[in-house]
């Protein structure tokens, strides 16, 4: 009969096998985050804001392989992608551009869990064009 470390390892392997494999950690809404950098940009359709969602579990551990889906308020927005998977650091990043000068609210849902934190981005009008 196995003893000590071997018994514990065997018990862990049996538990994993009986449960269908390793348990995937759940996304925690309050520990996950959404950041925008910079927080303002010109509404010229080319000046971009990077949106970075970070998926974390209840213990604050970053989660890889989760799907982050981004939603932006307002109009005339362009996202480089509407969704992106999280990497080894738990991060999924996309870019946002707009041609409409206005504040935008960005929200993210990670594996179906809405992050408690939203980000605010302000797109501003550029200088007036010179008369022709």
């Amino acid at each position: 009969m196995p003893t000590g470390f071997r018994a514990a390892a065997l018990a862990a392997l049996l538990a994993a096998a009986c449960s269908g494999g390793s348990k995937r950690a759940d996304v925690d809404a309050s520990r996950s985050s959404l950041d925008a950098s910079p927080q303002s940009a010109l509404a010229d359709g080319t000046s971009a804001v990077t949106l970075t969602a970070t998926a974390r579990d209840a213990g604050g551990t970053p989660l890889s392989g989760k799907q982050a889906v981004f939603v932006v308020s307002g109009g005339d927005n362009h996202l480089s992608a509407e969704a992106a998977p999280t990497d080894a650091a738990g991060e999924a990043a996309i870019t946002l551009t707009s041609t409409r000068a206005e504040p935008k609210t960005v929200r993210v849902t990670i594996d179906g869990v809405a992050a408690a934190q939203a980000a605010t981005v302000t797109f501003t009008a550029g200088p007036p064009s010179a008369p022709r």
Side-chain angles (χ1 to χ4, degrees):
M1 175 126 184
T3 59
F5 176 77
R6 286 185 177 167
L10 181 59
L13 285 172
L14 287 172
C18 292
S19 68
S22 62
K23 182 179 187 292
R24 289 181 51 123
D26 292 329
V27 175
D28 185 274
S30 63
R31 296 247 183 197
S32 297
S33 61
L34 176 62
D35 294 307
S37 181
Q39 293 183 332
S40 66
L42 285 177
D44 60 4
T46 58
S47 298
V49 173
T50 300
L51 304 173
T52 305
T54 304
R56 293 187 184 91
D57 66 14
T61 304
L63 301 171
S64 65
K66 304 294 182 178
Q67 189 73 0
V69 179
F70 298 83
V71 177
V72 183
S73 69
D76 300 322
N77 302 319
H78 176 73
L79 295 169
S80 60
E82 291 182 9
T86 59
D87 60 16
E91 296 180 344
I94 64 166
T95 58
L96 167 66
T97 59
S98 184
T99 55
R100 182 176 294 179
E102 65 183 359
K104 317 275 187 181
T105 300
V106 183
R107 299 193 184 282
V108 67
T109 301
I110 305 169
D111 264 15
V113 177
Q117 178 184 354
T120 301
V121 176
T122 302
F123 281 91
T124 58
S129 300
R132 293 181 190 213

